[in-house]
Amino acid sequence: MVLDPQRWLELRRFRALFESGAVTLTEVAKETGLNRKTVRKYLSGQAPAAPPRRVSNGRPRRKAVDEVAPLIDAMLRAEILIKGAVVHERLVKDYGSTINYQRVKLYLQEARPRVAEELGIAPRELAGMHRRFEVVPGAQAQVDWGGATRGRVYE
């Protein structure tokens, strides 16, 4: 098991206690929720001083978005300024994808400039995508309906 850095740091807190004999491997394993063999491995004297890293097998790691990347690229080629929420909604509704919205959003940040360059669209044309606007005071109103429930009137 390769521990993530946060869990590794949590486990390292127990090293001095373990070496002094104040706690046993079993007690540390119960406290951290890790397997006893994992605890022994990382609290032994020859354990590395840095968090463990995943060993690469030479192949690039597959991302969740890889299977829908061609679809997203096609949507961008059809409409370069399409919103991430719309892309995600179409992937879920039309293609039955279970990909997380955040993954789609992160992929769009990387893919939009690349596809725009393929289409010959200048970066300044993409800059107008998120445009801030202001209105005169009193011209618009916003309502937060989050606390409203059916049959209840708020004043």
Side-chain angles (χ1 to χ4, degrees):
M1 172 181 182
V2 177
L3 291 178
D4 63 77
Q6 187 67 31
R7 302 271 322 254
W8 181 81
L9 283 172
E10 179 187 353
L11 183 58
R12 295 290 288 192
R13 289 183 317 136
F14 291 97
R15 186 169 189 166
L17 289 171
F18 173 69
E19 288 175 350
S20 70
V23 294
T24 65
L25 285 175
T26 305
E27 291 171 334
V28 175
K30 281 182 182 177
E31 184 67 29
T32 59
L34 296 170
N35 187 304
R36 202 170 141 325
K37 292 179 182 180
T38 304
V39 171
R40 183 183 324 123
K41 173 183 173 182
Y42 287 106
L43 292 184
S44 68
Q46 60 269 28
R53 295 186 182 264
R54 184 177 304 274
V55 178
S56 174
N57 60 1
R59 294 180 302 193
R61 228 171 146 192
R62 288 202 38 87
K63 297 178 184 174
V65 77
D66 286 347
E67 62 189 43
V68 292
L71 296 171
I72 296 173
D73 289 349
M75 289 181 207
L76 284 173
R77 285 185 185 93
E79 185 182 349
I80 192 68
L81 296 179
I82 192 169
K83 294 185 178 191
V86 174
V87 171
H88 180 256
E89 183 180 301
R90 288 182 186 171
L91 288 172
V92 170
K93 185 175 141 197
D94 299 341
Y95 300 99
S97 176
T98 58
I99 192 165
N100 187 320
Y101 168 70
Q102 186 70 18
R103 298 289 169 214
V104 172
K105 192 171 82 169
L106 290 172
Y107 180 78
L108 283 171
Q109 287 177 352
E110 173 267 320
R112 197 181 307 274
R114 178 176 42 80
V115 172
E117 186 178 323
E118 290 174 11
L119 297 174
I121 298 173
R124 63 178 153 60
E125 294 177 50
L126 292 177
M129 187 171 161
H130 301 287
R131 191 175 315 132
R132 182 179 173 87
F133 69 94
E134 295 186 21
V135 295
V136 293
Q140 287 186 347
Q142 294 182 2
V143 178
D144 181 7
W145 295 100
T149 58
R150 186 177 265 177
R152 209 169 194 187
V153 178
Y154 292 95
E155 293 180 19

